[in-house]
Amino acid sequence: MDCIFCKIAAGELPCEKVYEDAHTLVFMDIAGDVDGHMLAIPKRHFENIFDCDGETLDRLMRTVKLIAEHCTKACGYDGVNLLNANGASAGQSVPHFHIHIIPRTAGDNINAWPSFGGATSNIDNIYQKLKL
Ligand code: 5GP
Ligand code: ZN
């Protein structure tokens, strides 16, 4: 399959590996946009959350938690942002499921939360559509 992250997981493309186990891999994001930017992926190819099975999600989130705790317990950080895009409309650019991990320290001045432009519809109307 012609997928960058599959090739990284298979060792066919290089990466700066932070952590690896049988099912998941964490490596440095090459964007160079923010210090410590990492990506956590399942080694098997899933496009995003929509086709990813529950067991893989469990494993990926356990790895994300392990790395988050590694950041705070061993690397001097206070917190982490977790970011994830599912689908082109959500801004996903690499179609292999991944979670961005951004380690944080108080006063680091990183703006890791999108500045939304303001809601355009009544909250109750949207709520009627969304509620399960
Ligand atoms: P998305 O926009 O899909 O949520 O994020 C994709 C991320 O993958 C981006 O932050 C981008 O910098 C990163 N990325 C794209 N190609 C490569 C690559 O070849 N190696 C690494 N390490 N990261 C990549
Ligand atoms: Zn893939």
Side-chain angles (χ1 to χ4, degrees):
M1 175 176 303
D2 194 22
C3 167
I4 302 171
F5 288 178
C6 278
K7 287 181 179 162
I8 288 175
E12 294 164 14
L13 284 176
C15 73
E16 290 186 283
K17 193 184 296 179
V18 175
Y19 172 81
E20 179 177 24
D21 62 24
H23 302 283
T24 65
L25 175 67
V26 180
F27 55 98
M28 301 304 292
D29 190 303
I30 52 162
D33 50 358
V34 61
D35 289 341
H37 191 166
M38 293 171 275
L39 298 170
I41 66 167
K43 288 184 172 178
R44 260 184 75 196
H45 183 87
F46 297 94
E47 190 162 335
N48 50 42
I49 200 164
F50 299 117
D51 63 340
C52 190
D53 64 84
E55 189 178 26
T56 301
L57 275 175
D58 285 350
R59 288 174 169 148
L60 185 61
M61 287 313 293
R62 283 174 189 276
T63 291
V64 168
K65 179 174 166 65
L66 187 146
I67 297 302
E69 290 179 346
H70 172 63
C71 288
T72 56
K73 289 179 179 165
C75 304
Y77 295 100
D78 306 320
V80 296
N81 284 107
L82 306 178
L83 304 171
N84 161 248
N86 299 283
S89 68
Q92 183 176 5
S93 63
V94 175
H96 181 126
F97 190 33
H98 55 279
I99 296 178
H100 300 254
I101 305 172
I102 298 169
R104 302 297 305 272
T105 45
D108 62 14
N109 284 322
I110 293 168
N111 181 9
W113 197 260
S115 181
F116 295 114
T120 58
S121 303
N122 182 284
I123 187 173
D124 295 323
N125 293 342
I126 307 279
Y127 166 64
Q128 293 305 324
K129 178 165 75 172
L130 291 175
K131 70 177 182 181
L132 276 172

